Amino acid sequence: MPGIVVVGTQWGDEGKGKVIDLLSDDMHMVVRFHGGNNAGHTIVYDGETLKLHLVPSGILYPHIVPVIGNGVIVNPAVLIHEMENLTKIGVEVDRLRISYNAHIILPSHEALDGLMEEGRGAGSLGTTRRGIGPTYADKASRVGLRMQDMLDTLAFREKVRGAVEEKNRVMTCVYGADPLDAGEVAEAYRGYAERLRPLLADTSLLAKRALGEGKNVLFEGAQGLMLDLDHGTYPYVTSSNTVAGAVCAGAGVGPRDIDEIIGVTKAYVTRVGAGPFPTEQDNEIGEAMQEAGQEFGTTTGRKRRCGWFDLVILRYAARLNTLTSLVITKLDVLSQFEALKVCVAYRKGEETLEEFPSLCGDFSDCEPVYEEMPGWKSDISGAVRLEDLPVEARDYLQFIQERVGVPIKLVSVGPERQQSIFMDGGGEPLRQGRFLFYDDLPL
Ligand code: GDP
Ligand code: IMO
Ligand code: MG
């Protein structure tokens, strides 16, 4: 013990990568537990930018055991490419451990993801086209390939070939598309297996042993609550559960192995892809957020849609994840506005809704109810203590904390590690140890 979970509370891209990198100094192991290379986690250190899609965000610390858990789906080509890039910058990647039970993304899954999106026409979901939906569908249908299939070289090759041929029939007959060369794919995957085989492990056991020895294990969430397959804005969601509870199934630990659940939330809201977004500002305000926040998808490069902060979804995230603390990121992006709006409830017809609507159709029809707050109009990107923030910025944070009822323990004011305010009142930045389990907040 302890087990610490970090999850996104919005539609992804909340800055989880930065937060996990910061906390990793105090961790022994960082475990990804769901999703695939649809995720894009950015770490900025000493002016360098590192974008990770599959490798856990703790990788830059040599003492960390980075783990890809069984709930993750792995595109071996992407993973190996990422490992090679890390090797080039001097990061030792052979300490990475990958679950025997993680499922494998094939080029046929990616192709099918694209064909299905095109088939939906104007109703497309805006997926990342990384094969996420089709791979999780195969997992649920019990026809997927797993990392442990790589152990038997010849059988694996034949399984890959068979899986691609099966999807070829769907692609040609249903979508009228060209088939993939199943033999070529099988040969490429034989090569990937050679590279990845030594890294395979019983990662559930590794995590359990570390926890048993009293070491800190961080479980790294991808995406965010509103993209959760069950609890998000279905069908405009991803194909895995993003809630903290998914750690148990996706990493092979039990609910009692989890001690802290940290929800990462942007000081405003963004969304990539299609689907409802009540506080969206499809206007110059949204454009100003997009510009100042450099809101481009880390995986696909698409412009992120932007809007005002939404307390209804944060309260929903606090409830479903049982959050023990909050991290607020990108507060600096709001410095440009005279006044800020915060959505405190939704209005649907005559009704005012305080809770996230039970029916997805209702969510699409909701109008936000805003409270307005004064902005601070000054540069806060150099703030390292709470006292360095203008009173309006502190009031904004306090408003969020009070309305959600979960303590804010870290505020981020820029992409660099140093641009972080640990809310322990001590004023010393980068003391992660004090961040965890500190309850008496100065706000
Ligand atoms: P993730 O998917 O949750 O890990 O987030 P992404 O990495 O996809 O997107 C967050 C982006 O915001 C990255 O480019 C980060 O470098 C950047 N970022 C993180 N925290 C801050 C912050 O406090 N201020 C600013 N301006 N950028 C930040
Ligand atoms: P991180 O971990 C933001 C979105 C896609 C699309 C929907 C379904 O960086 O926060 P998928 O390819 O998963 O089937 O696409 O989910 N999406 C993300 N949006 N951040 C992510 O991950 C995302 N992963 C998937 O844009 O709307
Ligand atoms: Mg991202």
Side-chain angles (χ1 to χ4, degrees):
M1 299 278 198
I4 296 138
V5 183
V6 174
V7 284
T9 60
Q10 299 166 330
W11 277 282
D13 303 326
E14 297 89 351
K16 299 176 292 293
K18 169 178 169 168
V19 173
I20 293 159
D21 168 69
L22 266 182
L23 298 182
S24 293
D25 201 12
D26 278 346
M27 299 297 141
H28 166 74
M29 184 178 276
V30 178
V31 187
R32 272 280 306 264
F33 61 91
H34 73 101
N37 57 308
N38 48 348
H41 297 176
T42 314
I43 300 168
V44 181
Y45 62 103
D46 303 335
E48 301 290 329
T49 298
L50 178 65
K51 292 180 190 296
L52 298 169
H53 300 286
L54 276 170
V55 171
S57 297
I59 188 78
L60 289 180
Y61 296 85
H63 69 274
I64 288 283
V65 182
V67 170
I68 294 180
N70 60 276
V72 177
I73 51 176
V74 178
N75 181 323
V78 171
L79 178 59
I80 292 169
H81 181 67
E82 211 162 270
M83 287 164 60
E84 285 169 355
N85 284 342
L86 284 163
T87 305
K88 276 187 206 147
I89 59 166
V91 178
E92 202 276 298
V93 290
D94 279 286
R95 62 205 153 101
L96 181 70
R97 292 292 170 267
I98 309 166
S99 168
Y100 286 124
N101 292 351
H103 277 248
I104 299 174
I105 302 178
L106 297 168
S108 39
H109 293 122
E110 291 174 301
L112 201 53
D113 194 359
L115 291 169
M116 288 167 78
E117 275 288 88
E118 273 147 36
R120 291 180 194 114
S124 74
L125 306 178
T127 74
T128 59
R129 301 189 180 215
R130 299 299 190 264
I132 304 301
T135 307
Y136 275 120
D138 275 1
K139 175 176 176 175
S141 302
R142 298 157 295 180
V143 295
L145 292 188
R146 302 198 291 178
M147 294 304 289
Q148 61 178 281
D149 290 315
M150 290 182 172
L151 294 175
D152 183 333
T153 306
L154 284 181
F156 179 60
R157 217 170 124 160
E158 284 320 298
K159 281 179 185 172
V160 172
R161 182 196 293 273
V164 174
E165 281 169 352
E166 188 262 334
K167 289 290 182 290
N168 273 345
R169 288 194 286 280
V170 179
M171 290 195 287
T172 54
C173 299
V174 178
Y175 293 97
D178 292 334
L180 297 175
D181 185 330
E184 214 171 82
V185 176
E187 185 51 27
Y189 272 63
R190 190 195 54 74
Y192 302 150
E194 296 300 319
R195 175 68 185 95
L196 297 179
R197 201 176 291 125
L199 310 181
L200 303 187
D202 182 341
T203 53
S204 158
L205 194 57
L206 290 182
K208 193 69 198 177
R209 282 200 180 130
L211 289 162
E213 288 165 15
K215 293 176 172 160
N216 291 338
V217 177
L218 190 151
F219 298 98
E220 170 173 356
Q223 290 89 49
L225 176 69
M226 302 303 281
L227 290 170
D228 183 279
L229 181 58
D230 288 279
H231 304 287
T233 49
Y234 192 89
Y236 301 98
V237 293
T238 190
S239 297
S240 65
N241 285 112
T242 63
V243 281
V247 165
C248 297
V253 297
R256 288 194 289 139
D257 291 320
I258 297 168
D259 302 270
E260 275 265 339
I261 302 160
I262 301 169
V264 185
T265 192
K266 240 177 238 190
Y268 50 102
V269 182
T270 64
R271 174 165 206 172
V272 211
F277 178 0
T279 63
E280 180 171 16
Q281 297 299 300
D282 191 9
N283 53 33
E284 67 286 357
I285 294 172
E287 277 163 30
M289 290 172 174
Q290 201 274 329
E291 175 73 29
Q294 280 301 294
E295 297 292 358
F296 293 97
T298 311
T299 302
T300 57
R302 292 174 289 177
K303 270 192 180 178
R304 295 174 183 150
R305 301 153 65 193
C306 298
W308 293 119
F309 195 76
D310 189 331
L311 272 170
V312 182
I313 66 172
L314 186 56
R315 283 199 301 265
Y316 184 53
R319 168 160 69 93
L320 286 175
N321 290 298
T322 58
L323 296 180
T324 54
S325 58
L326 290 176
V327 174
I328 310 276
T329 61
K330 303 192 99 161
L331 190 65
D332 53 302
V333 174
L334 295 182
S335 296
Q336 57 183 314
F337 298 108
E338 290 286 350
L340 307 173
K341 288 185 179 175
V342 177
C343 169
V344 294
Y346 299 138
R347 187 157 298 127
K348 189 179 167 274
E350 295 297 291
E351 229 185 323
T352 302
L353 307 174
E354 303 272 342
E355 297 286 346
F356 185 78
S358 315
L359 302 179
C360 216
D362 288 352
F363 186 63
S364 311
D365 296 338
C366 280
E367 288 293 328
V369 177
Y370 287 118
E371 284 192 27
E372 206 164 298
M373 303 188 68
W376 48 91
K377 290 287 271 179
S378 61
D379 183 8
I380 59 167
S381 60
V384 290
R385 328 182 153 84
L386 193 58
E387 305 85 89
D388 298 338
L389 292 178
V391 66
E392 294 85 357
R394 277 183 275 158
D395 286 349
Y396 186 74
L397 295 173
Q398 187 161 21
F399 184 77
I400 293 171
Q401 179 170 278
E402 278 177 9
R403 294 296 182 101
V404 183
V406 178
I408 298 170
K409 293 199 177 177
L410 173 63
V411 176
S412 171
V413 292
E416 283 275 359
R417 285 173 176 167
Q418 289 75 7
Q419 294 176 298
S420 308
I421 304 173
F422 288 88
M423 308 290 271
D424 58 5
E428 267 182 63
L430 297 180
R431 276 294 300 118
Q432 292 90 338
R434 284 192 294 163
F435 164 73
L436 295 167
F437 317 114
Y438 187 93
D439 286 328
D440 187 16
L441 292 169
L443 266 178

